[in-house]
Amino acid sequence: MKAVFFDVDYTLIHPGPTFGGDGYRAFAARHGLRVDPRRFAAAVSDAAAELDFARNTVYRPDPFIRYAARVLRGMGAEGPELQLDRCAREIYDEWGHPHHFALYDDVLATLRTLHRGGYRIGLISNTHRCLTTFQRHFALDPFVSAALSSYEHGRLKPDPSIFRAALERVGVAPGDGVMVGDSVAHDIDGARRAGMGAVLLVRSGDPPAERPGAGVPVVRSLTELPAVLAGLAERRAPK
């Protein structure tokens, strides 16, 4: 194993209050809408279907805007479509700003360990966020060799082309790269279709909602990753 690639959202970072129930209420209020923050969790669960990119992996803002609008409706927003659309677009735009997010506690120590171990580190993200700004904001530049967003590449995970393009940027073959992410559909399936290894991150500690497939390790924290990567490398070593 020569390179480790990370998903960004919910793998390295998590949203702050801006994108919680009260945050959505604040967005809605600016557009003359009323929502119930208590309905946020259920609305997010229902809206997740908008982010299924398996059938169309061309990057475009529309699915993300529909997702935000569906969350707003699930929280009780009523009003003209134009109002909902404007509010959803503001949510989409603000998602691109890293100051609304925080690093998980295990990120810096893990990246430092992997970097010292000689791994090349890459980022692959289904986002319109500028990853250069993201890396600078969270002081990740010393560790990251290359980063690629779906906005820049033009295709969303799980399209194998974005994984192959990221591999080319760090200069390794698919068999020498591993993708780490929290989504089976986006991260694990896409990476495996590109010929890479994969590790599923399930931070909740609950059993995975989707089966990642045979040979895909599941970790609860990124601190487990160095040992898991060593195990994968040992498995692939010639006998």
Side-chain angles (χ1 to χ4, degrees):
M1 293 298 171
K2 297 179 181 177
V4 186
F5 296 86
F6 291 90
D7 168 52
V8 174
D9 296 296
Y10 299 103
T11 297
L12 301 183
I13 60 173
H14 59 90
T18 301
F19 298 108
D22 288 332
Y24 263 71
R25 177 168 59 182
F27 279 117
R30 287 198 289 274
H31 293 269
L33 302 167
R34 297 181 65 181
V35 299
D36 182 354
R38 295 171 297 182
R39 297 168 61 177
F40 176 72
V44 165
S45 179
D46 173 71
E50 300 292 347
L51 303 181
D52 179 1
F53 306 125
R55 294 184 180 179
N56 188 347
T57 61
V58 175
Y59 183 89
R60 60 205 191 288
D62 307 37
F64 300 98
I65 294 169
R66 287 198 304 269
Y67 167 85
R70 188 161 166 175
V71 172
L72 290 165
R73 290 192 192 94
M75 296 174 70
E78 295 179 357
E81 285 297 313
L82 185 59
Q83 272 180 284
L84 279 165
D85 182 70
R86 284 175 176 168
C87 185
R89 285 178 182 274
E90 184 187 357
I91 293 169
Y92 168 78
D93 289 341
E94 289 301 312
W95 190 268
H97 298 298
H99 65 269
H100 294 307
F101 296 81
L103 281 179
Y104 287 104
D105 291 342
D106 55 4
V107 172
L108 286 176
T110 300
L111 294 187
R112 190 175 293 113
T113 297
L114 295 177
H115 186 260
R116 287 175 178 169
Y119 290 99
R120 300 172 203 174
I121 296 172
L123 308 178
I124 309 175
S125 180
N126 276 355
T127 184
H128 62 298
R129 184 184 300 117
C130 173
L131 293 180
T132 301
T133 302
F134 163 77
Q135 289 171 221
R136 188 180 306 122
H137 180 82
F138 289 109
L140 303 183
D141 285 330
F143 313 116
V144 177
S145 299
L148 186 60
S149 71
S150 51
Y151 177 84
E152 177 188 357
H153 176 68
R155 291 281 176 176
L156 294 147
K157 297 178 293 181
D159 195 302
S161 68
I162 192 170
F163 296 93
R164 295 186 187 117
L167 286 161
E168 288 177 8
R169 287 195 175 190
V170 300
V172 301
D176 292 326
V178 176
M179 180 69 193
V180 181
D182 67 304
S183 169
V184 172
H186 298 163
D187 303 313
I188 307 307
D189 290 348
R192 298 187 84 190
R193 285 169 59 195
M196 299 171 63
V199 176
L200 178 65
L201 174 65
V202 184
R203 288 190 177 277
S204 67
D206 298 329
E210 306 169 89
R211 293 184 179 182
V216 177
V218 178
V219 297
R220 273 35 179 181
S221 166
L222 293 182
T223 58
E224 301 172 47
L225 196 54
V228 167
L229 293 174
L232 289 174
E234 186 176 334
R235 243 188 280 169
R236 294 190 179 196
K239 302 297 182 184

